[in-house]
């Protein structure tokens, strides 16, 4: 089973069972962000958790096997058109250099890992309109001098 077929099967079962990503993640024992990313094909999921997800959604073993397979993390290099994704693209274009300079001042020359990494997405009520709170937490990796 291809990752794209896996994702279609998971999304169909999610809709059929009327479950939110947080509910599915609870059943796997993993975070909602990681669970969703793995279901969309961008991360591999350990067998124990993949099997739990498939049991919760009533999906066959081939979906579990596809969840466990290593992903090919390629994406379209064009500017995204989905409004939610585009706003992140826009924010990184506006604030990316600022983030790089401030990380450099605080940590030195290096990068934030997207492998030793976690992320949470929360809702913060606000009288002027609810706020989206995204916290990214990645290990700092200094560049090696040789």
């Amino acid at each position: 089973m291809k990752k794209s077929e896996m994702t279609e099967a998971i999304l169909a079962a999610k809709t059929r069972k009327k479950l939110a990503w947080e509910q599915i993640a609870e059943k796997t024992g993993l975070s909602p962000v990681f669970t969703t990313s793995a279901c969309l094909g961008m991360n591999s999921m350990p067998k124990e958790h993949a099997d739990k997800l498939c049991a919760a959604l009533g999906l066959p073993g081939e979906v579990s096997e596809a969840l466990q397979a290593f992903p090919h993390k390629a994406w379209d290099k064009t500017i995204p058109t989905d409004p939610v994704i585009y706003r992140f693209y826009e924010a990184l274009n506006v604030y990316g250099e600022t983030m790089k300079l401030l990380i450099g001042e605080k940590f030195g020359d290096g990068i934030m890992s997207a492998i030793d990494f976690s992320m949470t997405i929360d809702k913060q009520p606000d009288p002027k309109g609810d706020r989206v709170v995204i916290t990214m937490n990645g290990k700092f990796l200094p560049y090696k001098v040789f």
Side-chain angles (χ1 to χ4, degrees), residues 1-135:
M1 171 178 273
K2 294 179 184 175
K3 287 276 189 183
S4 59
E5 296 168 323
M6 169 204 79
T7 297
E8 287 178 24
I10 291 169
L11 293 175
K14 177 185 178 296
T15 300
R16 199 170 43 254
K17 298 234 176 208
K18 297 180 171 76
L19 293 172
W21 287 113
E22 288 195 10
Q23 293 171 304
I24 295 169
E26 281 179 19
K27 294 175 187 305
T28 69
L30 298 171
S31 77
V33 170
F34 185 86
T35 300
T36 306
S37 179
C39 290
L40 295 176
M42 293 304 284
N43 282 297
S44 61
M45 187 178 279
K47 180 177 178 18
E48 168 193 349
H49 304 285
D51 288 346
K52 287 179 182 178
L53 183 138
C54 288
L57 294 178
L59 294 170
E62 65 182 351
V63 173
S64 177
E65 290 173 13
L67 275 164
Q68 296 169 58
F70 298 149
H72 180 71
K73 295 184 182 185
W75 54 86
D76 192 352
K77 304 282 191 263
T78 61
I79 296 172
T81 56
D82 177 86
V84 173
I85 297 169
Y86 176 78
R87 290 297 174 240
F88 287 105
Y89 182 86
E90 179 183 38
L92 283 175
N93 275 294
V94 173
Y95 295 105
E97 283 294 316
T98 298
M99 293 164 69
K100 177 182 172 37
L101 291 173
L102 293 173
I103 288 169
E105 284 184 2
K106 292 177 185 279
F107 294 92
D109 190 19
I111 61 171
M112 179 181 76
S113 174
I115 295 171
D116 190 345
F117 176 87
S118 64
M119 179 172 32
T120 58
I121 301 173
D122 294 303
K123 180 179 179 179
Q124 178 182 330
D126 187 294
K128 295 180 281 182
D130 291 344
R131 313 291 294 178
V132 176
V133 179
I134 299 171
T135 304

